[in-house]
Amino acid sequence: MNRNQVRPQRRHATPSRIERVRRQAVPKPRVIIALLLLLGLVSVMLLDGYLRAEVGNDQRVRSDASASKVPDSVLDGGPFLSFQGGTARTRSVPDKTIVLTFDDGPDPEWTQKVLDILDDNDVPGTFFLVGSMISRYPDVVRRMVDDGNEVGVHTFTHVDLSYQSAARVTREIAQTQLALAGAAGITTTLFRAPYSSTNDAIDNYSWPVYKKLGAMGYTSVFIDTDSEDWQQPGVSKIIKWATPKGGKGASVLFHDAGGNRAQTLEALPQYIKKMKAKGYTFTTVSGAQQQTQGQQAQGQQAQGQRAQAPQGTPATAGDTRQSNPEQAAHRTADTATLWEGRALLGAVAVAEWTVPGLATVLAVVGVAVLGRFAMMLVLARRHYRQRNRRRFSWGPSVTAPVSVIVPAYNEKECIANTLNSLAASTHPIEIVVVDDGSTDGTAEIAESLGLPNVRVIRQPNAGKPAALNHGVRHARYDIVVMMDGDTVFEPDTVQRLVQPFGDPEVGAVAGNAKVGNRSTVIGAWQHIEYVMGFNLDRRMYDLLRCMPTIPGAIGAFRRDAVLGVGGMSEDTLAEDTDITIALHRAGWRVVYAEHARAWTEAPASLGQLWRQRYRWSYGTMQALWKHRKSVTDRGPSGRFGRVGMPLVVLFQIVTPVFAPLIDVFTVYAMIFVDFKASLLAWLAVLLVQLVCAAYAFRLDRERYRYLLMLPLQQIAYRQLMYLVLIHSCVTAATGGRLRWQKLKRTGEVGTPAPGTGVR
């Protein structure tokens, strides 16, 4: 809202060179970097949402489907279902044998404690793991396998597979296997479907899934005894419900995740001791199947052949652990699967750190943004009341003539309107037009107007800072007003602008820049931005005595103050911010004259707007970095460094850079979490902004009808400003340099009549 004059290319630049510079206005590599950062953020969020079952999950459970296509031998059979030659076959757990199975882990708290209990009691368990949990807690799985326990697949997102396509089923299994490979270097042949713990849960919808998995070599594991610990019925009931009757073997279900498992942890050691006392042994799914096979072989073969049973068979009936730590269901992952699994775990680790971190940043940004709105409203109100008191005065009225400096480069469309508006000034002025090597006859147009008190000074093309310094050196009066060549003043603008110089501590004054070409959508968006910026931000900074920028479109300075800090610097692309901070550091007070209004021509296209704001953002960063030592300075310089600079960095760089997170998280939440709640939250933030904008419009006596564009501004325009700022940050971080660009002007902002604005 403060820099409209732009530095041109060299006077004798060829069209081809100008075209090349124009193409470099938005450097493609940096745009690609910004887009890649956005894509990376979205990808990380989607991955995190997928891990937490927010993206792509379906919690529906089928409970009323027919099982007419499922063989009775399966529905009434044992808990271990496999397929041999396409034929379904079930096996039961041998008598006096317990297979402890645990669902829904791993969990960093509960699973670890379950493993401690199993270790203390020297019994194994079979854990059916959720792939997303494996990805988040691989260390727990690694310990689980190293301790001799067995693991199986419980899908990646704990979804009811009977609803899913064949591709989704395959993906759920494959992703879980990858997670297992990355965590423990193995894959498994065991599977348990969510929401289907017993054989009679198989129906016509899920039966094809089990057949497909059987053909792939999986053993589907069910239970015949359920502790129902998920209901948290009490320790005694968990133990009772987990105890098989009549000395039969059992596949028993417990849970090591998915909720508070304190009762499970209390019941489990008591249950193990109770079953051991009854003569039960504990094994894994593979161990139980091998025992069954061994018993079958015992009736058909000689005793000596039993010793050749598959590895993993308990050596004696009293053993409580399998002799081979690597369970028969486990397979060593091949190299490709191993590295793919590690890559998955790496991506998940990034998401696990990034998303919570971003959520924290989002909360901080949200609080900062809302706090800023509240602070602006309070301080703007105080500023308004302070300046409108009857006794308020800057000091003696300033009536002495002032010099108005107009730097101009190829401003033939605008220069006549600018000078005619100054000629109507109610304050005595001299007008110094510094022509910066124009090639379109700007100087000749200025001279041909024949206006009194107008001097045209020509210089070779050197840029806006040099033109302003040239004008300051040739100014005849102690106060100089600087404006852009595409800006027009109201008749009383200069008079209102210079009155604060009645206070000898004031070294510079910022005026109120307004968008003249607001009839277009882009113009209306900038109009809202300008009104809020000048009537809320600047009032706040004025009260805090840390005004960061005198806008290039309208500002006034003590000539000695400007020369005392070395004039307008060419070190940065934001010479107005640079000079303002320099004056603060030199001990001068910088204030805001809200009634001194200038009408400027804002960029009329998105391309021009991008180039202008890109330069502003990058130039501001340069100026802040240049004056970074003010943070540790003493006196006035330190005051700005410790008050003004943190506010500018926080509100103009940090929060805008991270503010897109609000939009990204909002869209994500609308799609995957809770559309209604997310929409209401977004509307609430919009309402806060609307209140602030309405108050700013009231202070400036602007028409409220432009606020109808505010929602669209938040959806479209604000995103563009975010990208511009991110682009500028990338440029600064990569050490890039930005050239000046001349914006195309139309001259549509005419000379204002007193009190009426623009014609």
Side-chain angles (χ1 to χ4, degrees), residues 468-676:
L468 289 172
N469 288 330
H470 200 170
V472 169
R473 288 192 296 268
H474 285 79
R476 296 170 179 167
Y477 302 112
D478 295 334
I479 296 175
V480 294
V481 174
M482 300 181 186
M483 65 183 300
D484 289 335
D486 59 355
T487 302
V488 296
F489 280 5
E490 294 179 0
D492 62 350
T493 294
V494 175
Q495 181 183 4
R496 291 178 179 274
L497 185 64
V498 300
Q499 293 311 306
F501 290 110
D503 183 344
E505 294 183 357
V506 173
V509 182
N512 187 353
K514 305 185 72 61
V515 175
N517 54 330
R518 60 181 71 170
S519 59
T520 64
V521 172
I522 297 177
W525 288 341
Q526 294 175 83
H527 171 53
I528 296 173
E529 181 186 33
Y530 273 50
V531 172
M532 290 186 68
F534 280 95
N535 287 283
L536 296 181
D537 276 292
R538 273 179 171 73
R539 289 177 187 269
M540 176 185 71
Y541 286 125
D542 192 0
L543 274 185
L544 297 176
R545 295 198 173 191
C546 56
M547 184 79 64
T549 302
I550 302 292
I554 175 172
F557 303 82
R558 292 189 190 274
R559 183 171 180 271
D560 291 343
V562 174
L563 295 176
V565 297
M568 308 299 286
S569 174
E570 297 186 23
D571 294 340
T572 71
L573 298 179
E575 76 289 333
D576 43 11
T577 299
D578 197 338
I579 188 67
T580 304
I581 298 176
L583 291 173
H584 277 295
R585 299 186 69 185
W588 291 102
R589 185 179 174 189
V590 180
V591 300
Y592 174 47
E594 66 273 16
H595 299 299
R597 302 194 297 183
W599 298 81
T600 187
E601 182 178 336
S605 69
L606 290 178
Q608 293 187 44
L609 179 64
W610 179 285
R611 288 191 289 271
Q612 182 196 64
R613 299 308 174 85
Y614 181 35
R615 179 173 57 82
W616 287 5
S617 297
Y618 187 57
T620 298
M621 294 178 195
Q622 288 179 310
L624 293 174
W625 181 253
K626 176 181 176 180
H627 295 283
R628 63 190 181 279
K629 292 184 178 179
S630 64
V631 175
T632 58
D633 286 346
R634 296 182 177 180
S637 178
R639 172 180 172 77
F640 178 83
R642 288 184 287 276
V643 178
M645 188 169 291
L647 287 175
V648 174
V649 171
L650 178 63
F651 292 145
Q652 295 188 23
I653 298 177
V654 176
T655 53
V657 163
F658 287 100
L661 291 177
I662 297 176
D663 300 308
V664 173
F665 273 80
T666 298
V667 172
Y668 173 87
M670 285 182 176
I671 296 174
F672 299 114
V673 184
D674 189 328
F675 175 82
K676 183 178 180 180

Side-chain angles (χ1 to χ4, degrees), residues 652-705:
Q652 295 188 23
I653 298 177
V654 176
T655 53
V657 163
F658 287 100
L661 291 177
I662 297 176
D663 300 308
V664 173
F665 273 80
T666 298
V667 172
Y668 173 87
M670 285 182 176
I671 296 174
F672 299 114
V673 184
D674 189 328
F675 175 82
K676 183 178 180 180
S678 303
L679 179 61
L680 289 176
W682 185 83
L683 291 175
V685 175
L686 179 63
L687 179 61
V688 172
Q689 294 176 304
L690 182 61
V691 169
C692 293
Y695 185 64
F697 271 59
R698 179 187 174 190
L699 292 178
D700 220 22
R701 297 180 180 179
E702 286 285 353
R703 297 176 180 178
Y704 292 113
R705 62 185 178 88

Side-chain angles (χ1 to χ4, degrees), residues 69-82:
K69 298 180 181 179
V70 185
D72 291 339
S73 59
V74 172
L75 295 175
D76 300 328
F80 308 143
L81 170 63
S82 59

Side-chain angles (χ1 to χ4, degrees), residues 184 224 234 282 296 387 431 440 587 733:
D224 47 31
F282 291 83
Q296 293 173 348
R387 294 295 172 82
I431 304 171
D440 66 346

